[in-house]
Structures are given as C-alpha cells and as structure tokens.
Amino acid sequence: ATTGLDEFLKLTGVGMFQRKLVGAMRWPNWTFQVRGDLVHFTNHSAIGDLKEEILLGGAPYQWQDGHKNLLHCTATWTPTPTGGVLRIARMGTIGNYEELREVSGDRLVFRLVRPDGTEWGREFERGK
C-alpha cells in the first residue's frame, strides 16, 4: 500500500502532470549486497537502474538521483530483532529529507520524510 505520495510530491514542487505519471508507474524491484560498511543498492525502476553505494556509519557521501540531482547523504543501519532500519539523510537543491527502509522478516517499509513531517511510504513483500 502507498500512503501520502501525491501530497509529498506536491510539497516538493512536482507538478500535477508529473505526479499523475509517478502514481501510474510500475513499482520498482530492489537488489542489494552488503560488504562490511558498504551497501551496493540497485533500484530497478521504470526509468532504468539507479545504483547507489551507501556508506553506513554516518560517513558523508554523494549520490545522484534519476534526474541527476546531486544529494549529500549520510546513512546508518540499526539492527532490530527481526531485521533493521536503514536511515539515510539526504540534502540537496531539491530539498532535504530522510529516507527510511525498515526491514522486518519478509516485509520492507519504505518512507521519505520531509523536515516539516510530511511523508509518504510504501510497503513491499519479498517475492517467493
């Protein structure tokens, strides 16, 4: 289920036409590999594969999104009894927000949260 996407995009300046396109897109598949404090993450999206090397432990790194927006990021991983939470702070000209990926068993909850508390999210189940 998806919650809050249209409102989140509206508050970040995305026009109505683009919001409608985003709402109609097929949701991505994700793959990742963890090697020490580095996560190789690939988002297989409708606009192509978006790759990110996420440095855990709060070390700063830079990343470009699918629209070539440069973002300054820091990431941490917090283990939980059933998985964990990947928390990424992203700052750039398109705005500042926090990205949360909460893993619990076969379930992933993805959320983007703006500093004013506006958020959107989506839940995923691992494919069998």
Side-chain angles (χ1 to χ4, degrees):
T2 302
T3 57
L5 177 60
D6 191 66
E7 185 65 20
F8 185 89
L9 292 173
K10 190 184 302 180
L11 289 171
T12 55
V14 176
M16 183 176 59
F17 182 72
Q18 284 184 309
R19 291 194 319 268
K20 296 290 182 192
L21 285 174
V22 168
M25 285 181 167
R26 179 180 60 83
W27 286 99
N29 291 315
W30 294 339
T31 57
F32 62 93
Q33 289 183 314
V34 179
R35 291 191 183 122
D37 283 344
L38 185 64
V39 178
H40 297 274
F41 193 87
T42 304
N43 178 345
H44 306 283
S45 76
I47 61 173
D49 285 354
L50 305 173
K51 296 181 180 189
E52 180 175 9
E53 290 190 345
I54 302 167
L55 295 172
L56 300 176
Y61 68 97
Q62 294 183 349
W63 177 67
Q64 277 190 332
D65 68 12
H67 298 286
K68 306 295 183 206
N69 296 303
L70 182 64
L71 296 162
H72 303 277
C73 310
T74 57
T76 58
W77 172 259
T78 305
T80 65
T82 59
V85 178
L86 175 61
R87 183 179 305 268
I88 305 172
R90 300 196 188 273
M91 296 147 284
T93 58
I94 61 168
N96 301 335
Y97 59 93
E98 184 172 62
E99 184 174 312
L100 296 142
R101 301 175 196 177
E102 301 174 48
V103 178
S104 180
D106 287 340
R107 189 168 146 243
L108 169 71
V109 177
F110 173 88
R111 293 187 301 144
L112 293 180
V113 183
R114 291 169 36 98
D116 67 4
T118 305
E119 69 175 72
W120 81 271
R122 176 107 176 137
E123 292 185 25
F124 298 88
E125 289 284 331
R126 183 186 313 255
K128 301 288 183 208

